[in-house]
Structure formats: C-alpha cells, structure tokens
Amino acid sequence: MSTRFLRHFFEPSSVAVIGASEKPHSMGGLVIRNLLEGDFPGPVWAVNRKGYASVHGQPCVARIEALPEVPDLAVICTPVATLPKLIGRLGSFGVKAALVLSGGSHLDDGADGEGSIRTRMLAAARPSGIRVLGPECMGIVVPGRRLNATYAGQPVKAGKVAYLGQSGMLGNAMIDWAAGRGIGFSHLVTLGDSVDVLLPDLIDYINQYAPAQALLLHLERIHDAQHFMTALREASRHRLVLAIKSGRTAASDLSGLPPTPGVANRDVIFDAALARAGVVRVNDSDELFDALETLSRMKPLRGDRLAIVANGLGPAMLAIDKLISAGGRLAEFTDTTREALLAADFDMTLPGRNPVDLGSDATPERLVEALALVAADANVDAVLVVHAPTRLAPAKATAEALIANRKRFRRNLLTSWMGLEEAMAARHECHLAGLPTYMSPEKAVKAFMHMVDYQRVQALLQETPPSLPFTTSAASRDRCRTLIDRAWSAGRQRLSHSETAQVLSAYGIEAAPSRYPTTAAEGEAAAAELEGPLALKVVHDHNCTPFRYRRHPHKLSAGLLQDLESPAQVAEGMHRLADKVAEKFPDSSIHEFCLQPMQRGKHSMQLCAGITRDPVFGPVILFGIGGYKVNVLADRQVALPPLNITLADDLIQRTHAARLIREHSRDPERDLERLRRLLVQLSQLAADLPRLQGLEINPLVLNRDGMVAVDFAMDLGAPARHAIMPYPEELREWLTLPNGMQVEVRPIRAEDAPLITGFHTQLSEESIRFRYFHNKASLTQRDLSMLAHINYDRQMAFIAERHGEEGDKEMLGVVRVWNDPDNIRTEFSIIIRDDLQGQGLGSLLMNKMIRYCKGVGTLEMVGQIMVDNHPMRALMKHLGFQLRYNMEEQVVDATLRLNEPSSEWQRHRLESQPD
C-alpha cells in the first residue's frame, strides 16, 4: 500500500475505456460521455473487442495492444470474469493505473483452484506494479482537471472539499445532492471493494498533493488500522476531516469479524479511533449532507458561541435546546450590543439578550439591521437566522435582503427557513448565493457543532501533556516477558492469578494482599497470616480468562466465598470450591486458590479497567464502572493506546464513574489522578508486552486509602499490532561524548514540550535562523505540539538529554526526520545548543538517525542547509552527504543514499518528481 502511481488516477493526460460501446446501458459508454461533457483535455480511446470504428466520436480499437500510445489511465467496464487477464495485459502494455467499475456477485468465485477473481486481479497486477482501484467503484472526479471518469448522471462543479467513500451509490447520491445545491468538490472518489488502492493511500495522496480544504469520508471497513490511523492523523493536522461510518450495529456489520472481548458494541472503538485522529464523526446521511453544506460555505470558526436571530421565540428555543444538548454555548452579548438592541427596540421577548426575537411583524429590512448589530459583536462566533414566513416578511424577500447585505455581517452566517412552499424559494436563493441553509433550526445547530467539534478535537491534539508519572525499567519489562514466554512455551494461553499479580506489581499497579494456597493445610496457614474477614477464590481454566463474565454470568458465584472468619472455614471452603468446580466444570483443572482480606467500606467504589484486543484496531484500553454492575450500567469507555495523562483524563471524563467520583469523593482530584496514572500504566503494559491479549482488573476498588486491584485475569495471544505506534523504548541509549559527558539519546515524546521550550530559549538567533530559515523568537502551542507529539510511523526525532544531580533534565540537541508515505525519502533537520557545538554531539545524533533510517528501509535522506551555515555543511560532508548548490532557493541541498531501490518504481521516484 502506497501512493505509488496514484498521480495517474488523478492527473491523467490520456484515458482508455475498456468495454465501451454506444449501447444505451453501456457503462463504458457513460464514462466516455462524462469525459467528453466534462471537456477532458487529453485523448480518450475506446477498447471493444467488436472493433467499432468509434464510440461516441472517440477512436476505438479491438485490443489493448492496438492503442496508439500507452494511456495514463485505463477504465475497465467489462464483465468481472475478464478482469484478471485484462489487468495483466494492461500492466504488460505499460499502463500504471486501472480503474475497475465492473462488479457483481461473482467476484469471490474461484476457477480451477486459482482463487477468487479478487485474488487473481491482485496477482495479475504484481509483476508490472500497475495500481488497481476497484472493483465495484463508481470512478473518479477531479473537476479542476476536467476529469469525470464515472457513470454518474450529473456533472460536478469544482470546490474545496474532497470526498472519499467506499460506496458507489452513496457517491452518486452525494453528486446529485451537491448538484442541486450548487456545491462542488476538489476530488470525488469511491473505492468500492478495491483490491489494491485502499482508503489510506487516497488520504495520503490528497494530503500531499491536493488543494482540498476539507476531507469528507464514508467508511465501511478498515483493512490496515495502522496505515489508516497514520494517514488520518497526518491529514487532520492540516485540514478539517469529517467521517461517516456504516455498519454501526450488529445487524449492519457485514465484516464477519469476531466480537471484541469486553466491548458490547465495537462501534465505540471506531468512535475512539476517529476522535484520537482529530476527525469529527457524523452519524447519518442527513448529517453528512449538512456537513458538506457547512464545509463548502463557511469560514473556519473562532469559537463555539452562537447567536440566534429569529422572527419568533418558539423556533429560536428549539435551536437553543439543540445547541445546549450538543455541548455548544449561547453567546452573551457585550454591553454595546445590548444597548444598541434596546435603543432600536429590536427584541420583543428578551430585550437586549440572546436569542433576539424580532416578532412576527419583522420586515426584511428590520431583520438585516438587527443581524448587522449581532454579527459585529466580539463575543459572537456565528449567527443563526431562524425564519418562518409571514405576510409582512415573506421568506424569499427576506432571503434576498440577507444576501444583498451579506458583506455587512462580520461573522459566519447560517440560515434556517422553516416551512416548505415559501421556504423552498428562500432556500433556493441561499443555495445560489452560497449561503449555508438548513431545513430546520436543529439541523443548522448540528452543522454548527460539527465545526465546533473540529476545534475541540484539534485542541486535544495540540495539548502537550504533563510529564509521565511512571516509566518502566528494562529489568521489569524483561521479567514480565520471561514470565509470559515461559507460559506460552508451555502451551498455556492465560496466566494464573498469582502470575498476573506479578505483572501488575512490575508496572506499579497495587494488587490486594493475596496468598495462593494449593492445599487445605496451606490455606489454614495463609489465613492465620491475614487479618479480618477473608475472601477465597478458586482459580481454574474457566475463570482466569478476562471478560469471561459475559458468557457465564450465572456461574460466577460458584468460584467465590466471602466473609470467612477462621482458618478452619478457609480449609473447609477450599474443599467446597473444589467440589463445585468438579461438578460444574468437570473438564477444568484447578490452578490455585486466592485468599484475600475482604475489601469493603471506606466509601469504596468498584471500577473496571483493562486491555482488550480488537480484530481491526488491535490493543484497546477500557475503563468504567466495575463489579456486578458492569453489565447493567454499560459504562465502559475505550481509548487506543498509547495514552498520556491528557488522553487518560479524556477517557475517564467520558464515564459515569468520573461523575460519581466528583460528587462523592472527599478528594476528587486525588482519585482522578490515581486513575489517570493507572491508565497510563496499562497503556505502557500493552506496548511492552506484545503477547498480552487481554487484561481485566475487575473489581478495581477505589477508596479513601488508595486504589487496589482485587480480582484480575490475563490471557495471551499472537503478538499485537498497534493502530498507533507506541513509544519506541528500545531506541533509548546512553552515549559518551568525546569530552566525556554522559548523555541519554532517546526518541522524543509528547511530554517533552517543557524541555523543548527551555532548549529553544538557550539558542542564539543565528542557530534558530539556521534551523527554521527565519528568526523564531518563541514557540506557539501548535509549534510545541508539532515538535513533541510526533507520529512514529512516519517521523522520528532523537533528543540528547543530560540528567542533573538533582534529577533535573536539560535538552542539548535534537535531530528529526519526516518520511514520505512510501518511505522513499526522509527529510532531516538538526540543531545543537550553542555552547555544545563542536563537541561531537551533532555527529553522534546524525549517525544514530542514519542507522535508524537505514534500518526501517528508507532509500534516501535529504535536507537543505543555509549557504552561510559552514559548520553544518562541513558535518554533512564528513558524514558522506552529497552537497549541491540550489540556485532557485539559494540553499545547499544535502543528499545521502541509505538503501538501494528494490523496484523500478522506487528507482523512478528517486530520479524524478514524486509519481
């Protein structure tokens, strides 16, 4: 998966349509007509084995090899059985991109043991490297290139929103809806059931090469979660991204994937993934269309404060209800605005306040004057006009007045014309003028909240979290891995209760004091060592698996005895529990018994926390109410690791548990801090132990004395692949500079923002100019987020850090690289603190980065150096870089070959512009 050859889909200089004819229902014929009607600037050829002279006036040949030249793009509209051979022939002919519109029920049919048509299509494409988009896709529209290679029934205007979807029919509906509203697209693509080019590839291409200001996604399934999340996170840093997901319920989920243990509805994981990537989710097709209206016609918001101007209080109150329930804010006018509204006697119901009710007799002129006052208020971020038609204020006349005076309004303007007959004319006028308009006040508010939600997820992305409260040592990680490897080698797929307790202890998670007797005599002796009433649990094959309660909730009590008062009761209890296991689970062997003091009182709250593994997104962190209520309250929320303190807090705040803590805890902040720390520890545990499949701590008891894990279970599986690459602990190392100074060189992390700030203040103006090519006196919050919170799948930054005697740390230098999505080239930058330049630190950091990039398979490292930066030029020459003066940009280009290309396409990318 990559952006290899995707330019041929979006910027073709010539197109061949395979299977085109002039028959009324010919899909290929429709594609040619759309290309011609869209005024495609290059040659268009038809290929049909019947050997027509022309199709819709375009030259036609009988065979691909008879084409006068190799087309940039081939559009295939032939029966599905022909697809594998056609793709092989197109690749052999030199075609780089094939768009497959054909589809049907036979795509999974096999032939003579050769696999399905899909499998054979992919196999046919491999020898030549031809890219295949489809089958069952609608096609591609790029209005700016006058390209409409689809069978859609409507032309598409140029716009600033890119639409990428997985459903051809929804894409057709989107085109028709947009045509009726006069809305355009920069790109419109549907993938269908694509075998090669996948959604993340298209997101990467749009993010790199397209001018789209916003990205609208329709999602049905995710093939590669890590690639998907990497592409989404990169895209959302530079533009607004909205997504709609079908298959939210079990009835509409056709993926056939197994359920995620511990999660009742897997859609919550998808929600968490989109939020983590900075994407705003819309819930239905109505919202999708309204979102497109908003994206196409609104400027970016400054905040979440909405003012409402209406000709009646009832409709305005509907809008307010929706705004508040969605988490928005009603703007509070400044004194100047209030006084102006009162002076002009504008507001009938709430004089000088928001909403502004102009009354049913408000004329278009009066509404315009009120709107001009409200839109000038500094406390207002957007204004919603809600209007119901009257004789004094016909909807169309009012809309025309707004449009004529729109330059007077300094804020984003949204309109809702209520009604049908008269309102339709008003909405039509707004469509023509490019003014956002909606069927109801509630729809308008929801569209406004999409923009607000985008601001919020972006703010979360840009937050730099406080320092981590906990880090593991290499020794503790090794102990846990050895314990797990020993269990796995013995053929076990789960750890015992006592083994899981050891893992929790290694990661700083306190477990209840426990004894693990195996005989009644050992049980009596253990009971004598513990004080107070005791709880006894038998640990056997059927109850040491996490999230098992969902299958056998009625059998849980069979494994637990409570309030045992004496050693004799403990011994007798062990016999009873052993008998019950033999009766209810005759095929299960007993591993051990767990004896603990009862955990109750002290204003205790039972919680649940853990790790599960989703078949799409890999490891997932869970948190919510625990104990016997876990199925009743359905409080469980999820997040993708890795987590920092900020992300852990976001997870906690989404649960009922957080509200209970704030209302009933004697010290809510102390308890919330304990939970944040725990979730970060679980995140680290998931990253360090790839064979960990599931971990459930339930109940996790929180009270005034602290927090303790009472019961827990862990199972094992094949090594996990994280949707978001965790922090690469294995890349940390201590090194010695030539002057004898000991420094730690490690990957940067989001918590390093304070270090970066301190480092920047110690740099000279010249060093800053050499690094950023201009003077940058201070770093903004966005700068810090971009520098500290990197995506390890595409970027890497190594910092050199010196540890002081008092435990303080200081940053001495940093080297960074940014990889392109195909890992062909990586661009580097390096900066060293002025007082340490010339000490060998720059060479040390660059050598570490060169080794890293070689190891991940990058082909070439490039960078630009200012002409007067002579020390850097000397360092690069010493490291083997080729230096070339760039006259156009007045810089020195530095290039170092790291690995040799393994394909013609990679060689082409190295020798020319990105393809």
Side-chain angles (χ1 to χ4, degrees):
M1 291 177 289
S2 68
T3 61
R4 174 171 56 98
F5 298 145
L6 293 194
R7 181 183 62 81
H8 296 273
F9 287 105
F10 294 101
E11 303 174 25
S13 59
S14 57
V15 179
V17 183
I18 320 295
S21 74
E22 294 186 3
K23 294 178 181 178
H25 301 293
S26 167
M27 185 182 291
L30 293 175
V31 172
I32 287 183
R33 288 168 58 188
N34 277 340
L35 286 167
L36 298 177
E37 290 171 8
D39 198 23
F40 179 68
V44 176
W45 301 289
V47 179
N48 191 306
R49 62 182 181 179
K50 293 186 178 180
Y52 301 120
S54 65
V55 174
H56 295 302
Q58 302 306 298
C60 180
V61 297
R63 297 172 62 251
I64 292 167
E65 293 77 8
L67 286 166
E69 60 183 80
V70 177
D72 263 357
L73 173 64
V75 183
I76 304 178
C77 307
T78 60
V80 294
T82 65
L83 296 179
K85 287 185 178 179
L86 269 177
I87 288 170
R89 288 169 57 197
L90 286 167
S92 298
F93 190 57
V95 178
K96 302 300 184 188
L99 188 60
V100 183
L101 276 56
S102 314
S105 58
H106 302 292
L107 288 166
D108 291 312
D109 292 353
D112 301 325
E114 295 180 358
S116 68
I117 290 175
R118 286 189 180 90
T119 303
R120 286 182 283 138
M121 287 171 63
L122 200 52
R126 284 198 186 102
S128 63
I130 183 175
R131 301 306 302 272
V132 181
L133 178 54
E136 295 186 318
C137 73
M138 184 194 71
I140 292 178
V141 184
V142 187
R145 296 277 177 177
R146 292 181 285 170
L147 173 69
N148 184 354
T150 71
Y151 53 81
Q154 292 277 0
V156 179
K157 290 178 58 177
K160 57 185 179 182
V161 178
Y163 173 81
L164 305 178
Q166 292 178 317
S167 166
M169 289 304 100
L170 190 59
N172 270 306
M174 184 69 71
I175 288 174
D176 191 66
W177 182 90
R181 297 285 183 105
I183 290 174
F185 295 92
S186 66
H187 299 73
L188 190 146
V189 188
T190 68
L191 290 91
D193 198 8
S194 189
V195 298
D196 173 33
V197 177
L198 300 180
L199 186 64
D201 303 326
L202 297 178
I203 294 172
D204 277 334
Y205 184 89
I206 295 292
N207 193 40
Q208 286 184 93
Y209 307 119
Q213 294 181 17
L215 190 55
L216 202 56
L217 305 175
H218 166 247
L219 309 168
E220 290 179 346
R221 57 200 170 277
I222 303 300
H223 295 279
D224 182 338
Q226 190 175 99
H227 188 191
F228 173 74
M229 289 297 293
T230 298
L232 266 192
R233 293 172 73 201
E234 287 290 315
S236 68
R237 282 180 177 265
H238 303 100
R239 53 179 56 81
L240 169 59
V241 182
L242 280 92
I244 184 172
K245 168 72 165 59
S246 53
R248 301 184 64 171
T249 62
S252 62
D253 183 3
L254 304 179
S255 66
L257 294 171
T260 303
V263 178
N265 182 1
R266 288 183 51 224
D267 193 62
V268 298
I269 300 176
F270 209 96
D271 253 341
L274 291 180
R276 182 67 179 273
V279 176
V280 177
R281 183 171 187 175
V282 296
N283 295 315
D284 53 51
S285 54
D286 272 351
E287 282 190 30
L288 186 69
F289 292 137
D290 289 340
L292 180 58
E293 174 95 3
T294 312
L295 295 178
S296 302
R297 292 174 168 166
M298 274 181 68
K299 295 175 290 187
L301 286 178
R302 299 185 310 166
D304 60 354
R305 301 164 299 179
L306 182 68
I308 300 171
V309 178
N311 66 342
L313 187 61
M317 299 310 288
L318 291 175
I320 291 173
D321 287 343
K322 185 67 175 179
L323 179 71
I324 301 306
S325 65
R329 285 198 296 163
L330 199 61
E332 293 186 10
F333 295 145
T334 62
D335 292 340
T336 302
T337 302
R338 280 196 294 268
E339 291 166 5
L341 290 171
L342 290 170
D345 195 24
F346 271 126
D347 201 333
M348 295 183 61
T349 310
L350 302 168
R353 292 166 57 192
N354 188 12
V356 179
D357 173 18
L358 300 176
S360 59
D361 60 348
T363 62
E365 294 75 21
R366 189 165 174 79
L367 188 143
V368 166
E369 292 304 318
L371 193 54
L373 285 175
V374 171
D377 193 301
N379 288 349
V380 172
D381 298 307
V383 184
L384 169 60
V385 176
V386 183
H387 185 274
T390 67
R391 279 189 176 273
L392 286 174
K396 183 178 180 182
T398 306
E400 289 171 341
L402 285 186
I403 293 164
N405 290 275
R406 64 188 303 181
K407 290 185 178 178
R408 296 177 59 187
F409 312 137
R410 301 179 185 177
R411 298 290 182 268
N412 272 310
L413 192 63
L414 302 92
T415 63
S416 175
W417 307 99
M418 301 185 70
L420 184 61
E421 188 170 346
E422 278 199 52
M424 190 177 294
R427 287 196 287 268
H428 180 66
E429 293 297 323
C430 288
H431 293 328
L432 294 177
L435 200 62
T437 188
Y438 307 89
M439 294 280 288
S440 68
E442 294 90 341
K443 280 178 172 283
V445 168
K446 189 64 178 174
F448 169 74
M449 289 306 299
H450 288 148
M451 305 295 282
V452 172
D453 289 344
Y454 172 66
Q455 283 189 317
R456 290 175 179 172
V457 296
Q458 287 296 303
L460 187 63
L461 281 182
Q462 292 180 26
E463 278 194 39
T464 49
S467 298
L468 285 172
F470 171 83
T471 55
T472 56
S473 67
S476 64
R477 291 195 296 272
D478 289 341
R479 282 199 307 272
C480 293
R481 287 170 182 161
T482 300
L483 188 153
I484 288 172
D485 289 344
R486 187 166 58 240
W488 186 261
S489 299
R492 293 163 49 200
Q493 294 186 336
R494 56 189 66 87
L495 296 187
S496 67
H497 199 277
S498 56
E499 290 170 329
T500 304
Q502 294 177 51
V503 173
L504 295 181
S505 175
Y507 280 80
I509 300 171
E510 182 182 353
S514 303
R515 301 292 185 273
Y516 294 96
T518 56
T519 65
E522 290 178 2
E524 283 191 83
E529 299 174 3
L530 300 172
E531 296 181 359
L534 301 175
L536 178 68
K537 176 182 177 178
V538 59
V539 182
H540 57 88
D541 289 342
H542 285 264
N543 74 347
C544 61
T545 301
F547 315 111
R548 185 80 177 187
Y549 56 86
R550 293 186 57 80
R551 296 182 185 176
H552 305 290
H554 60 288
K555 295 184 180 180
L556 278 182
S557 59
L560 180 67
L561 296 175
Q562 296 179 319
D563 292 309
L564 303 179
E565 299 288 348
S566 68
Q569 285 184 331
V570 170
E572 192 267 337
M574 291 177 68
H575 290 299
R576 286 169 53 196
L577 289 177
D579 291 342
K580 281 190 176 182
V581 170
E583 175 190 345
K584 294 182 178 291
F585 302 102
D587 60 334
S588 181
S589 60
I590 294 175
H591 300 296
E592 59 194 3
F593 291 84
C594 177
L595 186 65
Q596 296 177 343
M598 290 292 296
Q599 300 287 332
R600 61 160 63 105
K602 306 176 185 177
H603 297 92
S604 295
M605 178 185 296
Q606 291 191 351
L607 303 170
C608 174
I611 303 164
T612 188
R613 190 182 295 186
D614 182 69
V616 174
F617 289 98
V620 175
I621 307 296
L622 306 97
F623 178 74
I625 294 289
Y628 71 93
K629 299 178 182 178
V630 73
N631 288 330
V632 179
L633 295 180
D635 183 42
R636 188 158 289 168
Q637 296 293 324
V638 300
L640 297 186
L643 297 183
N644 55 42
I645 291 295
T646 301
L647 294 170
D649 185 68
D650 177 70
L651 171 57
I652 295 166
Q653 297 303 332
R654 288 187 269 127
T655 65
H656 295 297
R659 288 188 283 276
L660 290 173
I661 290 169
R662 286 195 295 269
E663 290 174 9
H664 300 295
S665 171
R666 292 183 178 180
D667 190 343
E669 184 51 40
R670 175 203 62 194
D671 290 340
L672 291 171
E673 181 58 33
R674 287 170 176 166
L675 291 172
R676 288 191 284 264
R677 176 188 172 102
L678 169 78
L679 294 177
V680 171
Q681 290 164 327
L682 289 177
S683 171
Q684 187 66 51
L685 201 150
D688 289 346
L689 308 178
R691 283 208 179 275
L692 190 159
Q693 182 163 279
L695 167 65
E696 181 183 14
I697 304 175
N698 183 21
L700 173 72
V701 174
L702 177 69
N703 57 38
R704 62 173 179 259
D705 289 345
M707 185 171 63
V708 62
V710 175
D711 200 8
F712 32 81
M714 181 187 295
D715 63 356
L716 311 175
R721 188 168 189 258
H722 289 248
I724 301 173
M725 284 190 67
Y727 183 76
E729 283 278 353
E730 69 278 4
L731 296 177
R732 304 174 77 123
E733 62 177 327
W734 282 89
L735 298 170
T736 304
L737 297 181
N739 63 4
M741 181 189 296
Q742 293 280 319
V743 297
E744 184 182 21
V745 179
R746 61 172 177 84
I748 205 164
R749 63 194 325 157
E751 291 80 6
D752 289 328
L755 279 179
I756 296 172
T757 302
F759 174 71
H760 190 82
T761 61
Q762 297 183 60
L763 297 174
S764 65
E765 285 189 12
E766 183 177 66
S767 290
I768 293 172
R769 180 175 65 86
F770 284 159
R771 164 60 178 87
Y772 296 101
F773 285 39
H774 64 274
N775 187 30
K776 199 176 187 71
S778 60
L779 299 173
T780 65
Q781 183 64 32
R782 179 174 174 79
D783 291 333
L784 287 172
S785 172
M786 297 286 281
L787 292 171
H789 203 164
I790 68 172
N791 189 338
Y792 299 113
D793 195 28
R794 295 269 175 88
Q795 304 166 15
M796 182 51 69
F798 292 122
I799 66 170
E801 183 180 66
R802 180 167 57 189
H803 297 195
E805 293 181 359
E806 303 297 324
D808 56 315
K809 300 176 182 179
E810 56 178 342
M811 183 171 155
L812 311 178
V814 58
V815 59
R816 299 177 179 275
V817 291
W818 295 263
N819 283 22
D820 64 42
D822 304 319
N823 202 26
I824 300 295
R825 286 188 178 92
T826 191
E827 183 177 356
F828 78 90
S829 72
I830 181 170
I831 186 168
I832 306 297
R833 214 170 68 185
D834 289 70
D835 59 323
L836 291 168
Q837 292 177 11
Q839 301 295 317
L841 183 56
S843 180
L844 181 149
L845 287 174
M846 281 298 301
N847 276 313
K848 183 173 177 66
M849 186 60 81
I850 289 169
R851 290 194 302 273
Y852 168 79
C853 291
K854 283 183 176 180
V856 298
T858 311
L859 301 187
E860 193 171 75
M861 182 179 284
V862 299
Q864 291 188 326
I865 306 168
M866 296 194 74
V867 176
D868 56 338
N869 190 351
H870 298 289
M872 184 62 67
R873 291 169 63 178
L875 174 60
M876 293 303 109
K877 188 173 182 179
H878 172 72
L879 293 171
F881 280 76
Q882 292 185 349
L883 304 181
R884 183 179 62 85
Y885 180 61
N886 184 329
M887 294 185 63
E888 183 178 348
E889 298 189 40
Q890 301 290 301
V891 295
V892 174
D893 291 332
T895 306
L896 179 68
R897 180 67 59 88
L898 303 173
N899 291 293
E900 291 304 313
S902 59
S903 69
E904 283 300 318
W905 172 75
Q906 288 185 334
R907 188 170 289 105
H908 172 74
R909 277 288 301 268
L910 283 174
E911 295 172 355
S912 62
Q913 292 298 312
D915 197 343

